[in-house]
Amino acid sequence: MCCHSNINYPDCKIGGKIIHKIFSEDLYLLNKFTTGDEVIITINTDRRNLLTQSHSATHVMYMAIDLLKSDIVTHILGCHIKPQGGRLDFLTDYRFSQEEIKIIEEKANSIILDNIPTPIEVDPKYPDVRYWICGDYKIPCGGTHTKNTGEIPLIKISRKSIGAGKERVLFQWK
Ligand SMILES: [Zn+2]
């Protein structure tokens, strides 16, 4: 694995190796194997599928926010997803009104109902860089995604103040 520091993706690892880290709550596993042991990893497919939908829904919510207020999306502070929903945090003093949240929710659900194909493109120059495509949107992302927006459940969007200069937009399944 090598890291190219003189390109557009300074943190991108090239070489296709995937590193799995053990969460602190699973550290007890360390007693069961040591460095060099071969292990079998299984994926909880129910949870993975929900996270895939949740992750894709975050992209759709991002698109809906961008369509209403494009200056906000350039100030993303963070993103978090869970099986039941997700959120985007923005570095801004702006506070979305309830009317704006309703418009964002309607736009996001309209994108979902339009069942738009969301293919993944590989960067020809950097094979470990992936792009999520949806209509005119092309977002660099290596996460797991649905094949089209129609696989995402309809969402309910809300907002929350999380301190000075920060705004949170959240969604949960309807
Ligand atoms: Zn993604």
Side-chain angles (χ1 to χ4, degrees):
M1 187 183 305
C2 60
C3 186
H4 297 251
S5 57
N6 59 343
I7 59 173
N8 293 331
Y9 302 99
D11 297 326
C12 178
K13 307 285 189 294
I14 306 294
K17 278 191 181 176
I18 297 170
I19 295 173
H20 296 276
K21 293 184 176 176
I22 297 174
F23 289 104
S24 56
E25 62 265 30
D26 294 327
L27 280 178
Y28 71 94
L29 290 170
L30 288 179
N31 298 326
K32 306 202 172 180
F33 56 84
T34 57
T35 304
D37 283 358
E38 196 170 297
V39 296
I40 295 171
I41 298 172
T42 55
I43 292 171
N44 179 334
T45 49
D46 290 343
R47 184 170 190 276
R48 169 60 65 88
N49 290 339
L50 281 169
L51 288 172
T52 296
Q53 290 175 316
S54 188
H55 179 94
S56 300
T58 307
H59 283 311
V60 168
M61 185 170 77
Y62 169 96
M63 287 170 64
I65 295 170
D66 182 46
L67 290 167
L68 182 73
K69 194 137 177 61
S70 58
D71 54 321
I72 293 286
V73 297
T74 56
H75 296 91
I76 285 188
L77 188 62
C79 168
H80 181 75
I81 60 161
K82 53 187 182 178
Q84 302 82 17
R87 67 179 192 238
L88 287 169
D89 294 339
F90 300 96
L91 200 55
T92 179
D93 288 320
Y94 190 77
R95 299 290 177 254
F96 286 102
S97 68
Q98 282 313 304
E99 290 74 24
E100 287 173 316
I101 290 297
K102 192 74 190 158
I103 291 167
I104 293 166
E105 181 180 301
E106 283 171 4
K107 186 61 199 168
N109 284 325
S110 148
I111 294 167
I112 290 170
L113 290 169
D114 283 347
N115 196 20
I116 302 166
T118 53
I120 299 299
E121 256 183 40
V122 176
D123 189 301
K125 199 171 172 192
Y126 308 107
D128 285 354
V129 173
R130 306 273 195 275
Y131 299 95
W132 178 84
I133 314 282
C134 184
D136 295 335
Y137 284 80
K138 183 175 180 177
I139 298 173
C141 184
T144 58
H145 305 96
T146 58
K147 289 187 173 57
N148 51 62
T149 59
E151 293 175 35
I152 304 167
L154 294 177
I155 57 178
K156 171 93 188 134
I157 295 181
S158 57
R159 64 157 294 280
K160 187 178 181 183
S161 291
I162 52 169
K166 295 174 191 167
E167 175 77 344
R168 174 169 290 173
V169 183
L170 314 91
F171 74 88
Q172 59 187 29
W173 307 130
K174 249 188 172 177

